[in-house]
Every structure is written in structure tokens, then in C-alpha cells.
Amino acid sequence: AMTKQDTASRLKIAAYWYAELREPDADHRTWDKFRAWEGSDPANRAAFQQVEASLSLLEGSSLAAPGAANEYSSSATQSFSRKPARARLYWLTGIAAVLMLALVSVVILSPPAAPAGQVYATAIGDTRDVTLEDGSRVTLNTDTELAVTYSRTERRIQLAHGQALFSVMKGTRPFIVAAGGSETRALGTRFEVYRGPDDVSVTLVEGSVSVLPETAGQGSVAPDVDEEKAATVLVPGDRLVMRGGAIASLTQVDTSEALAWQSGILQFRDVTLGEAIAELNRYSETKLRVDDPALAAERLSGAFPAGDQDTFAETLKLFLPVEIRRRGNEILVEPAGGAPR
């Protein structure tokens, strides 16, 4: 927590900058120093905004010298038509600091932190629709957790694990989804990100996104030239898989099949039994298991209800010569006639 003394000192420095920037001889070096101070701590910016707001009121009031009201408001970056004398400004800043310090114990017991992330999560087998503050929508699939942080400069999602579909409202701030060493940037589009145990896959449904290794951006708002080189721009239907910050594959998929999970259906097209089981296990506490490598390598296609492990196991008997054995929270899939284990 910030003490009253810290705040008083910060407000005095903010008041000094306010006075300096209003002087006719304020050059770009003064502005550069001010911006460095203001940018070094969110609390500095907040203190300056408080001084600014208080002085805008004071300068137009009877406390100020007659005729001293001016057009200064909202931002220190505006040009000023009238520059009050330094002495009068310091006097005003002193009053402003006194007025604000009366509020300190109530208003600024701690410095303004960066916006706290709003966390959303789903349990195994659940999905959830969330509308964000700008109207963008997120659908979380099974066993998913993400944090949303909106600032003045960007809309950032940190996907801790799981899978989510994003429908992004157009806006001037980039919409960034960070997951497992990758960043996906969009301005208005629809895409899905799945952060699995070993890799991250981004599937573009409509619009356009660019995907880049997180290290290239270092969290900066505007991509630089090197980032542009590192970024991969997707077209609708593209699925990009990244592993360890590098591209593992870029393929075209049927997006309606890819998004069938929203309606509780899992669609498989020529996948191995092992792959199908790994996907099905994401949706249920009851886990399917196949230990026989040859059986795990068998291929199948079809649509199955997510979370209904028994139905899948019974249906599997129609496709493949298998036996199903239940053991606690596991359903074992074994070759028919195989020796029991």
C-alpha cells in the first residue's frame, strides 16, 4: 500500500511537471523526460491526471488570477493558447495538492494496479458462453480456464488451458490471445484456440488473424518489423499448430466439423482410435483406455456425443473387433479374444 507521504511526494512531482509543460520554453526534451516519468509507474500517470483535473477546475475558478482561465483540459499533450506564469502555477499546484491530500486516505491507499484479469473457467464436460465488455463473445469448451484483461491499448486473453472460440468485435485495440508461447492477434474476427498438453492450435473461422511466437512480441502493442516477419497470417479454414514456439503444421480443416463441439458432438474424420479416445477423455471423468498399440492405431470416422463414454464404447464394437471392460472409472477397450490383463 502507498503511504500518505508517498502520495504527497508523487503529487508534488506531478504538479511540477504540470507547471513545466505549460511553459512557453518547454521543448521536446522536457516532454521526453515527462513521458519517461509518467510511463514508469501507473501511479505517476494517476497522480498527473489528478493534478490535471484539479487544476483545470481551479484555473477556471475564483481562486485563479482574473482572466487566467484557459483551454487546458483532459490531456497534457494538447497545445495551449495561454500559458500562465510559473509562480502562479506553482501556487495553484500547491492548492491542488492540499485539496487532493485531503482525499488521499480514501482515494489512493494503494497505487492503481494494472487492470485485474477477470478469470473464466469450465469444469470437465461443461461449456460456457461469456460476453466481454466490448461485446466480443467467448465460448469456453470443457476443462478450460482463461483470464481477460482489457487496458487502454489492448484486449488481452491469457488461455491457461483448454479450448475457446472467440467472436471478436471490431475495435481499434488489438485483441490478443496468449497461449503456450504463442500470440494470436485479431481486430474483428472469429477463431478458436486450443491449448493442449504439448501444443497450441489456432483455427480461423472467418476474418483474419496473425499468429506469432510470444517472445517476438514481448507483449508490445504494435507489431514491429521483426514481428511481422515472424507472424503467420491465417485465412479462413486454416489450422496452425505451434509447438515450443515454432510452427508444427498448417492445414485446412472443415470449420463446421471443427466447431461441432459447441453443440455437444465430436466429429472425427479418419483419426486413429488413440486420437479419438484422447479427445473423448477431455469431456468426461470416466476415461477410455486402449493399451494395445495395433488397436490404438486403427482408424475411424464418425460423430459421437461428447461426454458419453459408454455409447462410444458400445458403438465401437460395431466398427472393430473389440471387447469392452469396465474397471472403476476406466473403460478398457481391448482386442476381441485377447488375454485378460
Side-chain angles (χ1 to χ4, degrees), residues 18-19 22-23 55 59 84-94:
Y18 182 94
R22 302 291 303 281
E23 284 305 307
L55 287 172
E59 290 193 340
R86 212 179 228 120
R88 190 177 67 77
L89 261 177
Y90 280 132
W91 176 69
L92 281 172
T93 54

Side-chain angles (χ1 to χ4, degrees), residues 48-129:
F48 187 84
Q49 284 169 349
Q50 279 190 292
V51 167
E52 190 177 52
S54 302
L55 287 172
S56 295
L57 289 172
L58 277 172
E59 290 193 340
S61 76
S62 58
L63 284 168
N70 59 65
E71 294 158 21
Y72 181 81
S73 66
S74 80
S75 169
T77 54
Q78 294 180 8
S79 59
F80 315 121
S81 58
R82 198 172 294 172
K83 307 271 199 282
R86 212 179 228 120
R88 190 177 67 77
L89 261 177
Y90 280 132
W91 176 69
L92 281 172
T93 54
I95 294 175
V98 169
L99 289 176
M100 284 183 289
L101 282 170
L103 300 172
V104 159
S105 54
V106 181
V107 180
I108 329 182
L109 284 172
S110 59
Q118 174 72 50
V119 176
Y120 300 98
T122 51
I124 290 175
D126 288 344
T127 58
R128 181 179 178 186
D129 288 306

Side-chain angles (χ1 to χ4, degrees), residues 99-223:
L99 289 176
M100 284 183 289
L101 282 170
L103 300 172
V104 159
S105 54
V106 181
V107 180
I108 329 182
L109 284 172
S110 59
Q118 174 72 50
V119 176
Y120 300 98
T122 51
I124 290 175
D126 288 344
T127 58
R128 181 179 178 186
D129 288 306
V130 175
T131 301
L132 304 180
E133 65 183 62
D134 64 335
S136 294
R137 293 194 314 280
V138 185
T139 303
L140 286 74
N141 198 1
T142 176
D143 190 22
T144 295
E145 182 184 319
L146 53 81
V148 179
T149 311
Y150 276 30
S151 70
R152 284 185 316 111
T153 52
E154 66 179 18
R155 300 171 284 173
R156 179 170 287 267
I157 313 286
Q158 186 75 44
L159 181 61
H161 59 84
Q163 185 174 23
L165 174 68
F166 301 93
S167 297
V168 181
M169 287 290 273
K170 282 189 167 56
T172 52
R173 294 175 294 173
F175 187 99
I176 299 168
V177 179
S182 71
E183 275 192 1
T184 303
R185 293 171 183 261
L187 283 171
T189 185
R190 196 156 176 254
F191 64 98
E192 179 202 88
V193 180
Y194 172 37
R195 181 172 183 175
D198 307 312
D199 52 33
V200 174
S201 67
V202 179
T203 306
L204 181 61
V205 183
E206 58 191 55
S208 176
V209 295
S210 63
V211 186
L212 66 159
E214 215 166 11
T215 48
Q218 291 298 344
S220 68
V221 175

